[in-house]
Amino acid sequence: MARLDREKLKPVNSHVKTNGGARNLAIEKVRTAAVDAKTDLNRWRLLDEEGRQTWHYLESEDEIKEWPQSIADRHHLGLPLDLPTLPHPTTPLASARNAVDYFSNFQLPPGNWACEYGGPMFLLPGLVITWYVTETPIPQYIAIEIKRYLFARQHLKDGGWGLHIEGESSVFGTAMNYVVMRILGASEEDPRMIKARNTLHQLGGAVNGPHWSKFWLSVLGVMEWSAVNPVPPELWLLPDWVPIAPWRWWVHMRQVFLPVSHIYSKRYSYPLNSLTRQLREELYIQSYDSINFASHRNTISPRDNYHPKTFVLNSLNWLITNIWNPYLRSDAIAKRAEEWTYDLIRHEDENTDYANLGPVSAVMNLLVCYLHDGPDSYSVRRHRERMHDFLWMKNEGMLMNGTNGVQIWDASFLIQAAVEAGLAEDPKWRPMLTKTLEFLDNQQIRENCKEQDVCYRQRTKGAWAFSTKTQGYTLSDCTSEALKSVILLQDIPGYPKLVSEERIQDAIDTLLTMQNSSGGFASYEPTRGSEYLEWLNAAEVFGNIMVEYDYPECTTSVVTALSLFSKHDPEYRKVDISKTMKGALQYIRKAQYPDGSWYGSWGICFTYAGMFALESLSSVGETYANSPSVAKACGFLVSKQKEDGGWGESYKSCETGVYVQHEKSQVVQTCWALLGLMEADFPRRDVLERGIRLIMGRQKPEGGWEQEAIEGVFNKSWHVLRMDIESGHHANHGSMISYPNYKYIFPIKTLGMFAKKYGNLEIL
């Protein structure tokens, strides 16, 4: 198979020199290109190397002949597939079979499925600014498609951009994406750019952005570092026993603020050039030289101020800025802190082969390595290669995914859906499912990461990550769902037992290390710090992200995995599993709201969490008939059913903590509600049939469904904390994120479960 030769890419900034007047001359090439240019979608190819997914643009006819475009490529690019129209289904099982028939076309050679994992609008800016300041070549086809995507996602009404694709325009989204467009060649005179700039100015200009945007604009050299609240790397020198020591923070906060602190300490800014000089005038409502940037450290637009800084944080920032930095911080302390933060970054890079935890920290780590190791170092070269792991090409253009994919997560749910629908025994689907099992076998993490204690990592041996084993971060729910899938499929006669009993037990051992004292489970690791660390949350655009929290979804995934494993291997760590299950079930019951719902932090929202919770309670024998908690949960779900028989919940539920109806029923959320009700043995079949009828009625002739509203959430935890009660403020914001494969996987499972429980009835 042909691979793209990165030496032949014809980058837009190929004439950049580290020193001298030719700096960024090639960026001007892009600036003169037509803003609405579009690449030939027929030349794009997705390469999947053991789960690592990268898009490539073929420029020569020989490459095109050697590497034909696949059905999966065309599907992701929104190109015609020319697939046959399938027989019209009248029963749930026929509908499920059509869906598997369609979805199977997009399985990739390693056994996984790929998809967009987009939605956040704050990811591309960090990447493009880092490319620019590290003078990384930007191929023209990438520049063209990023611009095309951002114009496609620009709000029609005001021309701005929000925190995510469905969010209202904000300073963060508008200022940062405006900068990206200008770097990649959009003219400041383009009417759409004028519209965006007007919106930014109406919001007060870039000085009203949150901490994160001020950091990036200072790196680019279009804002002064005095506008950025301090992030001292000395925090990483604190002893572990200190209550605010960074090892106690949520892992994403640790890995983001680690490079931020290193860069902040160096106060690195890219040298001024013609473009950044222009941006200094375009981003503000007054002349750049007249702005007192230090006075804007705490200036923020109400649209961005989802989590206002506390009095405690403001006081600490004042002390660090006015006392510590100018009078007490010696060069020796600064050097030691910078060296230690770099060493921790090096550990992260080496443990993940530079894939890193996620795209935000990855681009920052690239910049740190550029400054510390030099532009031609291995670390910089490898980081540059890894940036392509996060880029995703679709019909609208090129975006940046929230991780390097959702490969393990989606593969696990597909296996469960096929088993539930009774399709795993069908010889037709055995090759597809065996290949998926091979993928999960390959992606299980076999060892703990190097120097685990030094870099504060959770045990990884036996775990599964969200995307790939290279990324390598244990997640309680991903490990649980993958483990369930492996056990379910390997217990069916005829499937190979690829994952040994010893490795299954390794997964159990890891899960048993992750329970909190509350009985609940968090995501990456047990909670390490007090919720009062939220007083130090400097992010402003996200609430409740300083420490790990218990999540109903994570806890219920673990419960269902342990329940299944106990049937599979009743004796292994029997006492420990029983104790863990007891605590987890107590947490699930306690986390239920008085109206019968559970709040979901990783999907939208009460519907998503309700599905998980009811599945877990069902796994231990609790149903509508014998459990008041289950009966109340069913009552809540049924009360939200729409007139057309479906369910539709808005992402606003995630922000308000109260169920908000979407204007339209959603196929995926209808599936979630029905799965929960069926797990609970809800007795009214008419309620279920109405939902099944909606799902089947929206199925396309070739077997799939249209993409509807966004499904997922990231950086979201609407806990009402003790500190919230005391301050009168409830932090309640997160970023929405897409799970496009849900619209295939969950209907398969829902339709199959209905047919199994009630018979394969004529519905349509």
Side-chain angles (χ1 to χ4, degrees), residues 96 270 287:
Y270 189 68
S287 67

Side-chain angles (χ1 to χ4, degrees), residues 416 484 560 610-619 679 749:
Q416 293 176 37
K484 285 158 56 179
T560 53
M611 170 188 67
F612 276 95
L614 289 171
E615 181 187 7
S616 67
L617 294 174
S618 172
S619 75
E679 290 282 5
K749 183 175 183 178

Side-chain angles (χ1 to χ4, degrees), residues 62 64 96 103 131 151 160 172 218 260 266 281 375 415 454 463 521 562 692-693 747 761:
D62 288 342
I64 292 172
F103 192 49
W131 273 345
F151 272 138
F172 190 14
S218 297
V260 165
K266 291 185 175 297
E281 300 306 317
I415 287 176
V454 173
F521 283 76
L562 294 179
I692 294 293
R693 188 172 293 110
L761 308 175

Side-chain angles (χ1 to χ4, degrees), residues 418-475:
V419 171
E420 187 62 55
L423 302 177
E425 292 88 352
D426 189 333
K428 179 178 180 180
W429 306 117
R430 192 176 298 272
M432 178 192 77
L433 293 171
T434 299
K435 189 183 293 186
T436 312
L437 178 61
E438 289 170 354
F439 177 76
L440 292 182
D441 166 48
N442 177 261
Q443 294 297 321
Q444 188 182 25
I445 303 169
R446 305 292 184 91
E447 301 293 340
N448 291 317
C449 65
K450 295 178 181 177
E451 297 189 81
Q452 175 181 322
D453 295 336
V454 173
C455 45
Y456 309 121
R457 287 285 299 274
Q458 177 68 17
R459 171 191 161 107
T460 58
K461 185 178 181 181
W464 278 272
F466 183 63
S467 55
T468 65
K469 66 180 179 183
T470 301
Q471 189 263 6
Y473 272 83
T474 298
L475 280 159

Side-chain angles (χ1 to χ4, degrees), residues 345-653:
I345 290 167
R346 179 181 59 78
H347 276 84
E348 165 72 355
D349 287 345
E350 292 177 356
N351 275 322
T352 63
D353 189 16
Y354 296 84
N356 296 141
L357 174 62
V360 176
S361 57
V363 298
M364 293 173 173
N365 286 2
L366 165 56
L367 179 54
V368 169
C369 290
Y370 180 86
L371 298 175
H372 186 277
D373 300 341
D376 298 322
S377 62
Y378 171 79
S379 62
V380 171
R381 294 197 308 272
R382 188 59 174 152
H383 267 303
R384 282 171 170 160
E385 293 171 358
R386 280 294 187 189
M387 292 303 106
H388 294 270
D389 295 17
F390 300 107
L391 293 174
W392 185 261
M393 186 63 197
K394 59 181 294 189
N395 61 328
E396 293 178 315
M398 180 167 279
L399 57 92
M400 195 172 194
N401 277 340
T403 63
N404 60 339
V406 297
Q407 297 89 313
I408 293 171
W409 185 247
D410 279 359
S412 301
F413 278 126
L414 184 279
I415 287 176
Q416 293 176 37
V419 171
E420 187 62 55
L423 302 177
E425 292 88 352
D426 189 333
K428 179 178 180 180
W429 306 117
R430 192 176 298 272
M432 178 192 77
L433 293 171
T434 299
K435 189 183 293 186
T436 312
L437 178 61
E438 289 170 354
F439 177 76
L440 292 182
D441 166 48
N442 177 261
Q443 294 297 321
Q444 188 182 25
I445 303 169
R446 305 292 184 91
E447 301 293 340
N448 291 317
C449 65
K450 295 178 181 177
E451 297 189 81
Q452 175 181 322
D453 295 336
V454 173
C455 45
Y456 309 121
R457 287 285 299 274
Q458 177 68 17
R459 171 191 161 107
T460 58
K461 185 178 181 181
W464 278 272
F466 183 63
S467 55
T468 65
K469 66 180 179 183
T470 301
Q471 189 263 6
Y473 272 83
T474 298
L475 280 159
S476 61
D477 53 353
C478 296
T479 300
S480 297
E481 300 301 340
L483 178 63
K484 285 158 56 179
S485 301
V486 166
I487 293 174
L488 286 169
L489 204 56
Q490 291 191 167
D491 280 353
I492 295 175
Y495 282 93
K497 297 189 182 300
L498 302 178
V499 181
S500 68
E501 290 301 315
E502 180 181 359
R503 288 168 54 199
I504 289 174
Q505 291 171 0
D506 285 340
I508 293 296
D509 292 343
T510 292
L511 288 175
L512 294 178
T513 69
M514 301 185 75
Q515 189 170 34
N516 288 317
S517 59
S518 63
F521 283 76
S523 51
Y524 291 90
E525 56 202 15
T527 303
R528 297 175 173 181
S530 165
E531 64 189 35
Y532 286 99
L533 276 169
E534 296 297 345
W535 285 104
L536 305 182
N537 182 357
E540 296 166 320
V541 293
F542 300 119
N544 299 337
I545 58 171
M546 286 299 294
V547 296
E548 277 275 21
Y549 292 96
D550 297 320
Y551 298 108
E553 306 102 296
C554 295
T555 307
T556 55
S557 283
V558 175
V559 166
T560 53
L562 294 179
S563 293
L564 181 63
F565 175 77
S566 294
K567 298 180 180 70
H568 172 79
D569 186 349
E571 297 303 318
Y572 184 76
R573 298 194 66 176
K574 181 177 180 179
V575 174
D576 294 331
I577 290 173
S578 176
K579 181 181 178 182
T580 300
M581 291 271 289
K582 180 179 179 181
L585 289 165
Q586 287 175 346
Y587 162 78
I588 292 167
R589 297 185 188 102
K590 186 177 179 180
Q592 188 176 25
Y593 283 17
D595 63 4
S597 67
W598 286 268
Y599 179 88
S601 294
W602 302 102
I604 300 171
C605 171
F606 296 98
T607 317
Y608 183 72
M611 170 188 67
F612 276 95
L614 289 171
E615 181 187 7
S616 67
L617 294 174
S618 172
S619 75
V620 294
E622 293 192 28
T623 66
Y624 181 90
N626 63 21
S627 169
S629 294
V630 172
K632 187 180 288 188
C634 291
F636 174 84
L637 287 175
V638 172
S639 74
K640 305 305 179 186
Q641 189 174 28
K642 290 179 173 289
E643 289 185 6
D644 61 7
W647 279 260
E649 185 179 1
S650 167
Y651 76 87
K652 292 289 185 181
S653 296

Side-chain angles (χ1 to χ4, degrees), residues 135-155:
E135 298 176 340
T136 299
I138 307 173
Q140 285 203 28
Y141 51 80
I142 287 180
I144 287 169
E145 292 299 343
I146 289 177
K147 284 187 297 178
R148 197 164 69 85
Y149 176 76
L150 290 180
F151 272 138
R153 286 299 175 176
Q154 187 178 28
H155 289 322

